[in-house]
Amino acid sequence: MKMLIWILIFLATFSFMEFMAWFTHKYIMHGFLWSLHKDHHKKDHDSWFERNDAFFLFYAAVSMTFFWLGSQTDFWYGWPLGFGILAYGAAYFLVHDIFIHQRFKLFRNANNWYARGVRRAHKMHHKHLGKEDGECFGMLMVPFKYFQKKEK
């Protein structure tokens, strides 16, 4: 029974992280911490790293805190919470940094229904160079309209 609860907590955490990514992106990255995120929309540097990468460090610290709680206290829920955040971070990195932005030249030929929709949604997000008037702040789950075939 404990393993089932562990798996459910992991899956719920992974799913909740999509909401957290959306919320953080819309209200924090495009809000009071725009100064860290703006170099992701408009490159103003020559470095491979972006100030925007600091957000990854925040969620990594939260995940590690849950791992620590799971290992050093009776709060065993820390393990599935930490792994759920870690798994979402890995998925986000694969989809956003590797697949969409090609920070590593992998998955260049992915051209299925999901890949096209996620790529299209992110492209629409990046057409806005400022912090206002943005759209599509999610990452793994984007509005259905981006998956629909464009009319010619």
Side-chain angles (χ1 to χ4, degrees), residues 1-54:
M1 184 64 172
K2 187 174 179 179
M3 181 57 80
L4 176 62
I5 294 171
W6 199 102
I7 292 168
L8 291 174
I9 292 170
F10 168 83
L11 292 172
T13 302
F14 183 93
S15 299
F16 182 70
M17 285 305 295
E18 176 67 9
F19 166 76
M20 287 304 299
W22 173 86
F23 181 88
T24 302
H25 194 178
K26 182 168 181 153
Y27 295 108
I28 296 174
M29 293 178 180
H30 282 256
F32 68 94
L33 287 181
W34 174 250
S35 61
L36 292 178
H37 185 62
K38 68 182 173 183
D39 71 335
H40 181 65
H41 282 263
K42 185 176 183 189
K43 294 279 186 210
D44 62 355
H45 57 83
D46 293 328
S47 175
W48 185 82
F49 290 100
E50 300 175 345
R51 290 181 297 274
N52 183 65
D53 294 333

Side-chain angles (χ1 to χ4, degrees), residues 28 31 42 48 51 82 85 97 103 107 139-141 149 152:
I28 296 174
K42 185 176 183 189
W48 185 82
R51 290 181 297 274
I85 295 168
D97 291 309
R103 285 176 90 170
F107 309 123
M139 177 50 52
L140 301 179
M141 295 184 296
K149 202 166 188 107
K152 295 184 179 190

Side-chain angles (χ1 to χ4, degrees), residues 25 29-30 34 36-45 50 52-53 92 95-103 117-139 142 146:
H25 194 178
M29 293 178 180
H30 282 256
W34 174 250
L36 292 178
H37 185 62
K38 68 182 173 183
D39 71 335
H40 181 65
H41 282 263
K42 185 176 183 189
K43 294 279 186 210
D44 62 355
H45 57 83
E50 300 175 345
N52 183 65
D53 294 333
Y92 189 99
V95 171
H96 182 262
D97 291 309
I98 295 178
F99 173 65
I100 293 173
H101 287 290
Q102 290 290 301
R103 285 176 90 170
V118 169
R119 210 183 264 137
R120 187 176 299 131
H122 204 72
K123 187 175 186 175
M124 293 307 294
H125 176 74
H126 274 270
K127 80 176 186 176
H128 304 282
L129 296 179
K131 73 181 204 175
E132 292 86 17
D133 301 323
E135 63 181 282
C136 198
F137 293 93
M139 177 50 52
V142 298
Y146 297 110

Side-chain angles (χ1 to χ4, degrees), residues 62 69 77 83 90 106 148:
V62 172
L69 286 170
Y77 301 99
F83 276 115
L106 302 170
Q148 295 172 335

